[in-house]
Amino acid sequence: MRAVKAVIAFSLLFTAPALAINEVGEAAHFVGGGLVAGAVTATVADKYWPENRALIGFIVSTASVVIGEGIQMAGGESFSSSLLDVTCHTVGAAVGAAVTDKYMLAPVVRHTSTTGTTVGIAMLQRF
């Protein structure tokens, strides 16, 4: 777990210059990566692969941006611009998947005398 936190911290430091110069496109990639990864983590991955839901959300989000930027590069976009977009999106995906997995989804176990034991996932939102 410490390695994951170190990678996220290093990645945030790596993308800080792009986000600091107020490039709307890079901030949009960061936020978009987090939203896609969080949505996949909370829906599809949680239903079919709950033991690896954060990893699945991260992989799907990152794969989508790699494919999209590959198509744009085939159309003539520069490599450095695409690399920056992929990096910002990937960092956002890591943050979104980790936050959704750890803080928004929680396991629920209920023991009742009539129905027995019920196991499920509850979605949490704190205000």
Side-chain angles (χ1 to χ4, degrees):
M1 187 53 117
R2 288 184 183 188
V4 172
K5 289 179 182 178
V7 168
I8 290 173
F10 177 75
S11 299
L12 287 172
L13 289 174
F14 181 70
T15 57
L19 297 174
I21 57 177
N22 198 18
E23 288 192 32
V24 176
E26 309 320 326
H29 275 284
F30 181 82
V31 171
L35 291 176
V36 170
V40 171
T41 299
T43 57
V44 177
D46 187 47
K47 183 175 181 180
Y48 296 107
W49 305 283
E51 64 278 355
N52 295 321
R53 60 186 178 207
L55 182 63
I56 300 296
F58 172 74
I59 289 171
V60 169
S61 181
T62 303
S64 69
V65 76
V66 167
I67 292 168
E69 290 299 321
I71 292 169
Q72 287 184 358
M73 282 181 59
E77 187 172 344
S78 69
F79 177 74
S80 62
S81 175
S82 289
L83 181 62
L84 187 58
D85 291 347
V86 168
T87 303
C88 288
H89 188 99
T90 301
V91 172
V95 171
V99 167
T100 302
D101 184 44
K102 184 155 177 102
Y103 298 108
M104 292 184 69
L105 299 174
V108 175
V109 179
R110 292 189 185 137
H111 302 285
T112 61
S113 60
T114 56
T115 59
T117 302
T118 305
V119 178
I121 298 288
M123 195 152 196
L124 304 173
Q125 185 172 3
R126 296 184 183 165
F127 295 99

